Amino acid sequence: MKFIDEFRDGKLASGLAAAIRQAARDDRDYHFMEFCGGHTHAIARYGVSDLLPRRVRLIHGPGCPVCVLPIGRIDMAIRLASESGVTLCSYGDPLRVPASGGLSLLKAKAALSRKSGAGGGIRMLYSGADALALAQRQPDRQVVFFAIGFETTTPPTALLIKQAQALGLKNFSVLCCHVLTPSAIASILESLEVRRWGTVRLDGFIGPAHVSTIIGTRPYEFFAEEYRKPVVIAGFEPLDVMQAILMLIKQVNAGQAVVENEFSRAVTRDGNRKAQQLVCEVFELRRSFAWRGLGELPYSALKIRREFADFDAERRFAVVYQAVDDHPACECGAVLRGVKRPQECRIFGSVCTPENPVGSCMVSAEGACAAHYSFGRFADAVVAP
């Protein structure tokens, strides 16, 4: 973005806030879910909620890829590193997600380091390309990349697998945990999990930004048509979010339910066709995948195609997913569904903090609990005029 200050301008924000107050009717409430964790962070950091009238409520959704990863998937990664003797490479945030038995990948790394004296079998990286480079440098060591994320990070993983095949690497594979945005939205609108977590009123969605640069706006049209829920794709800056809220209010007032694109500077209806083709070449749909807070969702995640089976860590090391219940005091599941706010969890900010996370929502900067802890945990004590 060339002129980022334009999207954080205070005067423009005041004007948008006034327009929102004027557009919001006095005889009804508005409930909008921001799906993406990047939006949640922007809303908390820039105090967007403080500029909205009380009758306009923003609800956090399951748009944080670290947050929706269930404990059993973290356990799989730990077993790979500790039992299969591989070097597991992961981004920083998954390392801190609590797993079974009081472990985490970070704690397992420390234990392996003490045992081997050579740094253990778990490494933090900033790019999947670092894992591929490590496999090239150390051909005698099996390297596994712990791949997580929504549609945004899937094309780079697909490219890594194709590069590994082209290089003829025999010591590189991927533990694939890539998940799909439309499936999560569908689960929020219609799922058996409402029996456990409850349901929440929703009048529309603030659609994700980065994901939509890949898949475009077309996949959201189903939700607008079938469920009569308007969707506005929004950028990550505070004025992007406020403009999207205004657009949603106007749609609700007019009884409309269509997909609008506020983030037109980066998103098109069809998305990135080249990236989509790359993903289709390397991945296919899983029949089912477990999400934290959403349960088992059919065709909601990706697996590596048989043509690239040599690079599938699940096949190569025969590692199997085993479901594990969340901590009984943790409300991450309800927070991810939008049923509860972070501060309604009884251990929020006391037992559970970013330094000592009990649930995944407190780990990632995009997690609703982490965002609220960093920027909004004292807001409830302030009485609005």
Side-chain angles (χ1 to χ4, degrees), residues 181-225:
T181 301
S183 298
I185 295 177
S187 173
I188 293 294
L189 293 172
E190 184 178 292
S191 170
L192 294 176
E193 281 297 298
V194 299
R195 297 176 182 175
R196 178 181 179 187
W197 299 113
T199 187
V200 62
R201 174 184 165 185
L202 290 175
D203 297 306
F205 289 93
I206 301 174
H210 288 160
V211 164
S212 300
T213 64
I214 304 297
I215 67 173
T217 65
R218 191 189 297 267
Y220 308 104
E221 293 173 4
F222 169 79
F223 303 107
E225 296 171 3

Short mmCIF file of all heavy atoms in Angstrom, two decimals, residues 181-225:
data_model
loop_
_atom_site.label_atom_id
_atom_site.label_comp_id
_atom_site.label_asym_id
_atom_site.label_seq_id
_atom_site.Cartn_x
_atom_site.Cartn_y
_atom_site.Cartn_z
N THR A 181 -11.77 -21.44 4.17
CA THR A 181 -12.63 -20.40 4.74
C THR A 181 -14.13 -20.65 4.54
O THR A 181 -14.89 -20.56 5.50
CB THR A 181 -12.26 -19.03 4.15
OG1 THR A 181 -10.89 -18.76 4.43
CG2 THR A 181 -13.12 -17.93 4.74
N PRO A 182 -14.61 -20.95 3.33
CA PRO A 182 -16.05 -21.12 3.15
C PRO A 182 -16.66 -22.19 4.05
O PRO A 182 -17.80 -22.05 4.52
CB PRO A 182 -16.17 -21.52 1.67
CG PRO A 182 -14.98 -20.90 1.02
CD PRO A 182 -13.88 -21.03 2.04
N SER A 183 -15.92 -23.25 4.33
CA SER A 183 -16.44 -24.31 5.21
C SER A 183 -16.66 -23.79 6.63
O SER A 183 -17.62 -24.18 7.29
CB SER A 183 -15.46 -25.49 5.23
OG SER A 183 -15.32 -26.05 3.95
N ALA A 184 -15.76 -22.95 7.09
CA ALA A 184 -15.90 -22.40 8.44
C ALA A 184 -17.11 -21.47 8.52
O ALA A 184 -17.85 -21.48 9.50
CB ALA A 184 -14.63 -21.66 8.84
N ILE A 185 -17.31 -20.66 7.48
CA ILE A 185 -18.48 -19.76 7.47
C ILE A 185 -19.76 -20.58 7.46
O ILE A 185 -20.71 -20.27 8.19
CB ILE A 185 -18.41 -18.83 6.25
CG1 ILE A 185 -17.21 -17.89 6.35
CG2 ILE A 185 -19.70 -17.99 6.14
CD1 ILE A 185 -17.03 -16.99 5.16
N ALA A 186 -19.79 -21.65 6.66
CA ALA A 186 -20.97 -22.50 6.61
C ALA A 186 -21.25 -23.13 7.97
O ALA A 186 -22.40 -23.25 8.39
CB ALA A 186 -20.79 -23.59 5.55
N SER A 187 -20.18 -23.51 8.68
CA SER A 187 -20.36 -24.11 10.00
C SER A 187 -20.94 -23.12 10.99
O SER A 187 -21.75 -23.50 11.85
CB SER A 187 -19.00 -24.62 10.51
OG SER A 187 -19.11 -25.06 11.85
N ILE A 188 -20.53 -21.86 10.88
CA ILE A 188 -21.07 -20.84 11.78
C ILE A 188 -22.57 -20.67 11.54
O ILE A 188 -23.36 -20.52 12.49
CB ILE A 188 -20.36 -19.49 11.55
CG1 ILE A 188 -18.88 -19.58 12.00
CG2 ILE A 188 -21.07 -18.36 12.26
CD1 ILE A 188 -18.70 -19.78 13.48
N LEU A 189 -22.99 -20.74 10.29
CA LEU A 189 -24.39 -20.51 9.96
C LEU A 189 -25.27 -21.73 10.20
O LEU A 189 -26.45 -21.59 10.51
CB LEU A 189 -24.50 -20.08 8.49
CG LEU A 189 -23.89 -18.72 8.16
CD1 LEU A 189 -23.88 -18.50 6.65
CD2 LEU A 189 -24.68 -17.61 8.84
N GLU A 190 -24.68 -22.92 10.06
CA GLU A 190 -25.50 -24.12 10.18
C GLU A 190 -24.62 -25.29 10.57
O GLU A 190 -23.90 -25.85 9.76
CB GLU A 190 -26.19 -24.43 8.84
CG GLU A 190 -27.13 -25.63 8.89
CD GLU A 190 -27.81 -25.83 7.55
OE1 GLU A 190 -28.61 -24.98 7.17
OE2 GLU A 190 -27.52 -26.84 6.90
N SER A 191 -24.69 -25.68 11.84
CA SER A 191 -23.85 -26.76 12.32
C SER A 191 -24.47 -27.40 13.55
O SER A 191 -25.14 -26.74 14.36
CB SER A 191 -22.45 -26.23 12.66
OG SER A 191 -21.69 -27.20 13.33
N LEU A 192 -24.20 -28.70 13.73
CA LEU A 192 -24.67 -29.40 14.92
C LEU A 192 -23.97 -28.88 16.17
O LEU A 192 -24.45 -29.12 17.28
CB LEU A 192 -24.43 -30.91 14.77
CG LEU A 192 -25.25 -31.61 13.68
CD1 LEU A 192 -24.85 -33.07 13.59
CD2 LEU A 192 -26.74 -31.48 13.97
N GLU A 193 -22.84 -28.18 15.99
CA GLU A 193 -22.11 -27.68 17.15
C GLU A 193 -22.89 -26.63 17.93
O GLU A 193 -22.54 -26.31 19.06
CB GLU A 193 -20.76 -27.10 16.72
CG GLU A 193 -19.70 -28.15 16.45
CD GLU A 193 -19.36 -28.97 17.67
OE1 GLU A 193 -18.88 -28.39 18.66
OE2 GLU A 193 -19.57 -30.18 17.65
N VAL A 194 -23.96 -26.08 17.32
CA VAL A 194 -24.75 -25.10 18.07
C VAL A 194 -25.35 -25.73 19.32
O VAL A 194 -25.66 -25.06 20.30
CB VAL A 194 -25.87 -24.47 17.20
CG1 VAL A 194 -25.27 -23.76 16.02
CG2 VAL A 194 -26.86 -25.53 16.74
N ARG A 195 -25.50 -27.05 19.30
CA ARG A 195 -26.05 -27.73 20.48
C ARG A 195 -25.10 -27.66 21.66
O ARG A 195 -25.51 -27.68 22.81
CB ARG A 195 -26.33 -29.20 20.13
CG ARG A 195 -27.38 -29.37 19.03
CD ARG A 195 -27.55 -30.83 18.67
NE ARG A 195 -28.51 -31.00 17.59
CZ ARG A 195 -28.78 -32.17 17.01
NH1 ARG A 195 -28.14 -33.26 17.41
NH2 ARG A 195 -29.66 -32.24 16.03
N ARG A 196 -23.78 -27.61 21.34
CA ARG A 196 -22.79 -27.54 22.41
C ARG A 196 -22.47 -26.12 22.80
O ARG A 196 -22.45 -25.77 23.98
CB ARG A 196 -21.51 -28.26 21.96
CG ARG A 196 -20.40 -28.21 23.01
CD ARG A 196 -19.16 -28.92 22.51
NE ARG A 196 -18.08 -28.85 23.50
CZ ARG A 196 -16.85 -29.26 23.27
NH1 ARG A 196 -16.52 -29.77 22.10
NH2 ARG A 196 -15.92 -29.16 24.21
N TRP A 197 -22.19 -25.27 21.80
CA TRP A 197 -21.71 -23.92 22.08
C TRP A 197 -22.83 -22.88 22.10
O TRP A 197 -22.63 -21.77 22.56
CB TRP A 197 -20.66 -23.51 21.06
CG TRP A 197 -19.46 -24.38 21.02
CD1 TRP A 197 -19.06 -25.20 20.01
CD2 TRP A 197 -18.47 -24.54 22.05
NE1 TRP A 197 -17.91 -25.85 20.33
CE2 TRP A 197 -17.52 -25.46 21.58
CE3 TRP A 197 -18.33 -23.99 23.33
CZ2 TRP A 197 -16.41 -25.85 22.34
CZ3 TRP A 197 -17.23 -24.37 24.08
CH2 TRP A 197 -16.30 -25.29 23.59
N GLY A 198 -23.97 -23.24 21.55
CA GLY A 198 -25.03 -22.24 21.39
C GLY A 198 -24.92 -21.55 20.05
O GLY A 198 -24.04 -21.83 19.25
N THR A 199 -25.82 -20.65 19.81
CA THR A 199 -25.82 -19.94 18.54
C THR A 199 -25.70 -18.44 18.78
O THR A 199 -25.77 -17.98 19.92
CB THR A 199 -27.10 -20.24 17.74
OG1 THR A 199 -26.98 -19.66 16.43
CG2 THR A 199 -28.33 -19.66 18.43
N VAL A 200 -25.51 -17.70 17.73
CA VAL A 200 -25.34 -16.26 17.86
C VAL A 200 -26.05 -15.60 16.68
O VAL A 200 -26.06 -16.13 15.56
CB VAL A 200 -23.84 -15.89 17.88
CG1 VAL A 200 -23.17 -16.29 16.58
CG2 VAL A 200 -23.64 -14.42 18.14
N ARG A 201 -26.64 -14.46 16.95
CA ARG A 201 -27.32 -13.75 15.88
C ARG A 201 -26.29 -13.08 14.98
O ARG A 201 -25.37 -12.43 15.44
CB ARG A 201 -28.25 -12.70 16.47
CG ARG A 201 -28.90 -11.81 15.41
CD ARG A 201 -29.75 -10.73 16.03
NE ARG A 201 -30.06 -9.70 15.03
CZ ARG A 201 -30.70 -8.58 15.32
NH1 ARG A 201 -31.10 -8.33 16.56
NH2 ARG A 201 -30.94 -7.68 14.36
N LEU A 202 -26.47 -13.24 13.68
CA LEU A 202 -25.59 -12.63 12.70
C LEU A 202 -26.40 -11.97 11.61
O LEU A 202 -27.31 -12.58 11.04
CB LEU A 202 -24.66 -13.68 12.07
CG LEU A 202 -23.57 -14.28 12.96
CD1 LEU A 202 -22.83 -15.37 12.22
CD2 LEU A 202 -22.60 -13.20 13.42
N ASP A 203 -26.07 -10.71 11.31
CA ASP A 203 -26.75 -9.99 10.24
C ASP A 203 -25.88 -9.85 9.00
O ASP A 203 -26.37 -9.42 7.94
CB ASP A 203 -27.15 -8.60 10.74
CG ASP A 203 -28.15 -8.67 11.89
OD1 ASP A 203 -29.19 -9.34 11.72
OD2 ASP A 203 -27.88 -8.08 12.94
N GLY A 204 -24.60 -10.18 9.11
CA GLY A 204 -23.71 -10.07 7.96
C GLY A 204 -22.28 -10.36 8.35
O GLY A 204 -21.95 -10.52 9.53
N PHE A 205 -21.41 -10.44 7.32
CA PHE A 205 -20.01 -10.78 7.52
C PHE A 205 -19.10 -9.71 6.93
O PHE A 205 -19.34 -9.21 5.83
CB PHE A 205 -19.68 -12.11 6.85
CG PHE A 205 -20.26 -13.32 7.52
CD1 PHE A 205 -21.49 -13.81 7.12
CD2 PHE A 205 -19.58 -13.96 8.55
CE1 PHE A 205 -22.03 -14.93 7.72
CE2 PHE A 205 -20.12 -15.07 9.16
CZ PHE A 205 -21.35 -15.57 8.75
N ILE A 206 -18.02 -9.40 7.68
CA ILE A 206 -16.90 -8.67 7.11
C ILE A 206 -15.95 -9.73 6.57
O ILE A 206 -15.32 -10.47 7.33
CB ILE A 206 -16.20 -7.79 8.17
CG1 ILE A 206 -17.17 -6.78 8.76
CG2 ILE A 206 -14.99 -7.08 7.55
CD1 ILE A 206 -16.60 -5.98 9.91
N GLY A 207 -15.87 -9.86 5.25
CA GLY A 207 -15.11 -10.94 4.63
C GLY A 207 -13.62 -10.73 4.72
O GLY A 207 -13.13 -9.59 4.74
N PRO A 208 -12.86 -11.82 4.73
CA PRO A 208 -11.39 -11.74 4.90
C PRO A 208 -10.71 -11.10 3.71
O PRO A 208 -11.17 -11.21 2.57
CB PRO A 208 -10.97 -13.20 5.07
CG PRO A 208 -12.05 -13.99 4.41
CD PRO A 208 -13.32 -13.21 4.62
N ALA A 209 -9.58 -10.48 3.97
CA ALA A 209 -8.85 -9.74 2.94
C ALA A 209 -7.86 -10.63 2.19
O ALA A 209 -8.00 -10.88 0.99
CB ALA A 209 -8.14 -8.55 3.56
N HIS A 210 -6.85 -11.12 2.92
CA HIS A 210 -5.80 -11.90 2.27
C HIS A 210 -6.35 -13.15 1.59
O HIS A 210 -5.98 -13.48 0.46
CB HIS A 210 -4.72 -12.30 3.27
CG HIS A 210 -3.86 -11.16 3.71
ND1 HIS A 210 -3.12 -11.19 4.87
CD2 HIS A 210 -3.62 -9.96 3.13
CE1 HIS A 210 -2.46 -10.06 4.98
NE2 HIS A 210 -2.75 -9.29 3.96
N VAL A 211 -7.24 -13.85 2.27
CA VAL A 211 -7.86 -15.05 1.68
C VAL A 211 -8.54 -14.71 0.37
O VAL A 211 -8.43 -15.43 -0.63
CB VAL A 211 -8.87 -15.67 2.67
CG1 VAL A 211 -9.79 -16.65 1.95
CG2 VAL A 211 -8.15 -16.37 3.81
N SER A 212 -9.23 -13.58 0.34
CA SER A 212 -10.00 -13.21 -0.84
C SER A 212 -9.12 -12.80 -2.01
O SER A 212 -9.56 -12.87 -3.17
CB SER A 212 -10.97 -12.07 -0.49
OG SER A 212 -11.87 -12.49 0.53
N THR A 213 -7.89 -12.39 -1.76
CA THR A 213 -6.98 -12.12 -2.88
C THR A 213 -6.71 -13.40 -3.66
O THR A 213 -6.41 -13.36 -4.85
CB THR A 213 -5.64 -11.52 -2.41
OG1 THR A 213 -4.95 -12.47 -1.58
CG2 THR A 213 -5.86 -10.23 -1.63
N ILE A 214 -6.83 -14.55 -3.00
CA ILE A 214 -6.60 -15.84 -3.65
C ILE A 214 -7.89 -16.40 -4.25
O ILE A 214 -7.94 -16.75 -5.43
CB ILE A 214 -6.01 -16.87 -2.65
CG1 ILE A 214 -4.71 -16.33 -2.03
CG2 ILE A 214 -5.78 -18.21 -3.35
CD1 ILE A 214 -3.60 -16.09 -3.02
N ILE A 215 -8.96 -16.47 -3.45
CA ILE A 215 -10.17 -17.15 -3.91
C ILE A 215 -11.16 -16.20 -4.56
O ILE A 215 -12.14 -16.64 -5.18
CB ILE A 215 -10.86 -17.92 -2.76
CG1 ILE A 215 -11.42 -16.96 -1.69
CG2 ILE A 215 -9.89 -18.91 -2.12
CD1 ILE A 215 -12.24 -17.67 -0.62
N GLY A 216 -10.95 -14.88 -4.42
CA GLY A 216 -11.88 -13.91 -4.99
C GLY A 216 -13.14 -13.77 -4.15
O GLY A 216 -13.26 -14.31 -3.05
N THR A 217 -14.11 -13.05 -4.69
CA THR A 217 -15.37 -12.82 -3.96
C THR A 217 -16.45 -13.83 -4.33
O THR A 217 -17.45 -13.96 -3.63
CB THR A 217 -15.91 -11.41 -4.25
OG1 THR A 217 -16.26 -11.31 -5.65
CG2 THR A 217 -14.88 -10.33 -3.93
N ARG A 218 -16.26 -14.56 -5.42
CA ARG A 218 -17.29 -15.47 -5.91
C ARG A 218 -17.74 -16.51 -4.87
O ARG A 218 -18.94 -16.79 -4.75
CB ARG A 218 -16.80 -16.18 -7.18
CG ARG A 218 -17.88 -16.94 -7.92
CD ARG A 218 -17.25 -17.77 -9.03
NE ARG A 218 -16.60 -16.94 -10.03
CZ ARG A 218 -17.19 -16.52 -11.14
NH1 ARG A 218 -18.45 -16.83 -11.35
NH2 ARG A 218 -16.52 -15.78 -12.01
N PRO A 219 -16.82 -17.15 -4.09
CA PRO A 219 -17.26 -18.19 -3.15
C PRO A 219 -18.23 -17.70 -2.07
O PRO A 219 -18.95 -18.51 -1.48
CB PRO A 219 -15.95 -18.67 -2.52
CG PRO A 219 -14.91 -18.37 -3.54
CD PRO A 219 -15.35 -17.08 -4.15
N TYR A 220 -18.26 -16.39 -1.81
CA TYR A 220 -19.15 -15.87 -0.77
C TYR A 220 -20.57 -15.63 -1.27
O TYR A 220 -21.47 -15.38 -0.47
CB TYR A 220 -18.58 -14.57 -0.19
CG TYR A 220 -17.15 -14.66 0.26
CD1 TYR A 220 -16.12 -14.11 -0.50
CD2 TYR A 220 -16.81 -15.30 1.45
CE1 TYR A 220 -14.80 -14.19 -0.11
CE2 TYR A 220 -15.49 -15.39 1.85
CZ TYR A 220 -14.49 -14.84 1.07
OH TYR A 220 -13.18 -14.94 1.47
N GLU A 221 -20.75 -15.69 -2.56
CA GLU A 221 -22.07 -15.40 -3.13
C GLU A 221 -23.12 -16.41 -2.66
O GLU A 221 -24.30 -16.08 -2.50
CB GLU A 221 -21.99 -15.37 -4.65
CG GLU A 221 -21.15 -14.20 -5.17
CD GLU A 221 -20.92 -14.27 -6.67
OE1 GLU A 221 -21.46 -15.20 -7.33
OE2 GLU A 221 -20.18 -13.41 -7.21
N PHE A 222 -22.68 -17.63 -2.40
CA PHE A 222 -23.59 -18.66 -1.90
C PHE A 222 -24.20 -18.26 -0.56
O PHE A 222 -25.40 -18.44 -0.33
CB PHE A 222 -22.85 -19.99 -1.75
CG PHE A 222 -23.63 -21.05 -1.01
CD1 PHE A 222 -24.63 -21.77 -1.64
CD2 PHE A 222 -23.37 -21.31 0.33
CE1 PHE A 222 -25.34 -22.74 -0.96
CE2 PHE A 222 -24.07 -22.28 1.02
CZ PHE A 222 -25.06 -22.99 0.37
N PHE A 223 -23.38 -17.70 0.32
CA PHE A 223 -23.88 -17.35 1.66
C PHE A 223 -24.86 -16.18 1.59
O PHE A 223 -25.83 -16.12 2.34
CB PHE A 223 -22.70 -17.02 2.58
CG PHE A 223 -21.72 -18.13 2.70
CD1 PHE A 223 -20.47 -18.06 2.09
CD2 PHE A 223 -22.04 -19.28 3.39
CE1 PHE A 223 -19.57 -19.09 2.18
CE2 PHE A 223 -21.14 -20.33 3.49
CZ PHE A 223 -19.91 -20.24 2.87
N ALA A 224 -24.59 -15.26 0.69
CA ALA A 224 -25.52 -14.14 0.52
C ALA A 224 -26.84 -14.62 -0.05
O ALA A 224 -27.92 -14.19 0.41
CB ALA A 224 -24.89 -13.08 -0.40
N GLU A 225 -26.80 -15.53 -1.02
CA GLU A 225 -28.02 -15.99 -1.67
C GLU A 225 -28.78 -17.00 -0.82
O GLU A 225 -30.01 -16.92 -0.68
CB GLU A 225 -27.67 -16.61 -3.03
CG GLU A 225 -27.08 -15.60 -4.02
CD GLU A 225 -26.54 -16.26 -5.26
OE1 GLU A 225 -26.68 -17.50 -5.39
OE2 GLU A 225 -25.99 -15.55 -6.12
#
